[in-house]
């Protein structure tokens, strides 16, 4: 059986070390490449950070498998055993253009169940983490259990992409939601936006296309803080595929699902 206390202490050490390396990279010039489209970026720092985690995991936990965004891990086709889902830099565009609003995101799942989740905002030195059944923290401070928020006072995290004509969802429903809430924010990092839902900085987050490495850490942290994470139609997230993701505080979750997402 996995020793989660030991794994937790070890990951936190690696995350701090990776954070130090990423901070040090700010003064170096980046090698930037594009992936699926001209706005889908990857840098040498994304790749080096992913490699750093993979090499460490392979030497300390050789029977664990790894799903990494930059493809240097394993081909994952089933959720059996322990799987690390890693986004070495979530918010690469922000990393390249702004040097802020990006994070390391890691979710560790056993037979499809989240056991440990981490989102590290390197620039602000904020490590959000959760352990199944034990709660969620920001650094050493436990996150308060999320409470009910009415739509009128909610702050919604959503990208402008989903408020204009798109082929994934009727933008008019989301425009109405954007009008009804108190405010709308977009940070350009799904992981940070989930961490913000967990910590109450956002009341809800909606996106139409996230990959497992984008939400694996954040889903665990939101759930341990008392929030709910599902697809936009209220179904369970498939941890092996791209999903539309809806995360919110309880109460608000049901209100948005019923009135705006169905
Ligand atoms: C992206 C960011 C972005 C989200 C995209 C992700 P990346 O991740 O999280 O906010 O809207 O769906 O792909 O490419 O910066 O790791
Ligand atoms: Ca990502
Ligand atoms: Ca990434």
């Amino acid at each position: 059986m996995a020793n989660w206390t030991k794994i937790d202490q070890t990951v936190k050490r690696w995350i701090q070390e990776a954070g130090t390396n990423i901070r040090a990279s700010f003064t170096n010039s980046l090698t930037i490449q594009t992936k699926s489209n001209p706005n889908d970026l990857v840098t040498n720092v994304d790749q080096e950070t992913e490699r750093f985690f993979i090499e460490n995991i392979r030497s300390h936990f050789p029977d664990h498998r790894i799903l990494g965004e930059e493809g240097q891990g394993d081909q994952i086709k089933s959720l059996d055993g322990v799987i690390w889902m890693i986004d070495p830099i979530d918010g690469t565009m922000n990393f390249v253009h702004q040097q802020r609003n990006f994070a390391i995101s890691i979710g560790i799942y056993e037979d499809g169940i989240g056991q440990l989740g981490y989102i590290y905002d390197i620039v602000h030195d904020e490590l959000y983490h959760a352990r199944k059944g034990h709660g969620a923290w920001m650094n050493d401070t436990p996150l308060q259990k999320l409470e009910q928020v009415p739509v009128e006072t909610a702050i919604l995290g959503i990208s402008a992409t989903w408020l204009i004509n798109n082929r994934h969802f009727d933008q008019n429903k989301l425009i109405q939601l954007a009008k009804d809430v108190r405010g709308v924010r977009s940070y350009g990092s799904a992981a940070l936006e989930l961490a913000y839902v967990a910590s109450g900085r956002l009341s809800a987050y909606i996106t139409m296309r996230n990959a497992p490495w984008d939400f694996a850490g954040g889903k665990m942290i939101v759930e341990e803080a008392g929030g709910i994470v599902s697809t936009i139609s209220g179904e369970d997230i498939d941890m092996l595929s791209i999903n539309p993701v809806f995360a919110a505080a309880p109460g608000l979750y049901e209100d948005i699902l019923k009135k705006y997402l169905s």
Side-chain angles (χ1 to χ4, degrees):
M1 218 177 91
N3 179 341
W4 296 114
T5 303
K6 180 176 159 224
I7 296 172
D8 176 55
Q9 289 163 351
T10 311
V11 191
K12 283 178 182 153
R13 243 190 6 256
W14 292 344
I15 286 176
Q16 291 301 338
E17 194 177 333
T20 302
N21 294 340
I22 292 173
R23 244 179 256 119
S25 80
F26 283 167
T27 49
N28 303 337
S29 61
L30 288 172
T31 309
I32 305 166
Q33 291 169 300
T34 59
K35 296 192 284 183
S36 59
N37 65 64
N39 303 328
D40 186 10
L41 308 178
V42 58
T43 74
N44 57 306
V45 181
D46 297 64
Q47 289 163 335
E48 285 157 19
T49 305
E50 182 173 281
R51 210 152 43 236
F52 166 84
F53 282 109
I54 290 174
E55 283 167 6
N56 276 304
I57 296 162
R58 295 234 190 278
S59 78
H60 286 73
F61 307 108
D63 54 332
H64 294 185
R65 296 187 297 149
I66 305 156
L67 177 66
E69 172 168 21
E70 306 314 337
Q72 302 168 104
D74 301 301
Q75 291 290 331
I76 301 288
K77 300 221 160 54
S78 87
L79 292 171
D80 298 342
V82 178
I83 302 179
W84 295 57
M85 300 190 189
I86 302 178
D87 193 336
I89 297 184
D90 182 64
T92 299
M93 199 186 289
N94 291 343
F95 172 66
V96 168
H97 287 268
Q98 307 179 332
Q99 297 191 334
R100 69 197 67 213
N101 291 325
F102 64 88
I104 295 172
S105 173
I106 299 177
I108 310 178
Y109 283 64
E110 186 179 42
D111 298 329
I113 312 281
Q115 295 294 339
L116 294 168
Y118 304 86
I119 294 171
Y120 184 38
D121 177 344
I122 293 154
V123 171
H124 294 105
D125 193 23
E126 290 182 345
L127 175 62
Y128 299 85
H129 74 284
R131 180 164 169 188
K132 180 153 184 68
H134 290 71
W137 292 261
M138 199 271 274
N139 294 336
D140 293 329
T141 309
L143 297 182
Q144 303 279 338
K145 282 280 170 200
L146 292 173
E147 288 182 2
Q148 197 142 356
V149 184
V151 171
E152 317 77 82
T153 59
I155 309 288
L156 170 68
I158 192 166
S159 159
T161 315
W162 313 123
L163 297 174
I164 56 176
N165 189 20
N166 69 86
R167 59 198 163 86
H168 297 284
F169 197 76
D170 175 3
Q171 74 276 12
N172 292 311
K173 291 186 181 180
L174 296 175
I175 290 171
Q176 190 56 51
L177 173 61
K179 283 180 178 162
D180 290 351
V181 293
R182 176 170 277 169
V184 176
R185 299 287 182 271
S186 178
Y187 295 93
S189 159
L192 278 183
E193 285 164 303
L194 289 168
Y196 290 170
V197 171
S199 55
R201 291 178 183 175
L202 289 175
S203 327
Y205 171 63
I206 296 176
T207 185
M208 297 303 145
R209 280 181 66 76
N210 264 182
W213 45 77
D214 296 316
F215 54 71
K219 178 174 184 292
M220 262 231 71
I221 299 170
V222 172
E223 288 173 349
E224 281 297 318
I228 303 163
V229 184
S230 71
T231 68
I232 50 161
S233 44
E235 283 151 4
D236 287 349
I237 299 270
D238 175 359
M239 295 306 300
L240 291 174
S241 319
I242 303 260
N243 289 249
V245 174
F246 170 40
L252 180 66
Y253 173 87
E254 289 80 7
D255 290 347
I256 293 179
L257 195 62
K258 213 163 41 189
K259 187 159 172 208
Y260 303 91
L261 298 179
S262 52

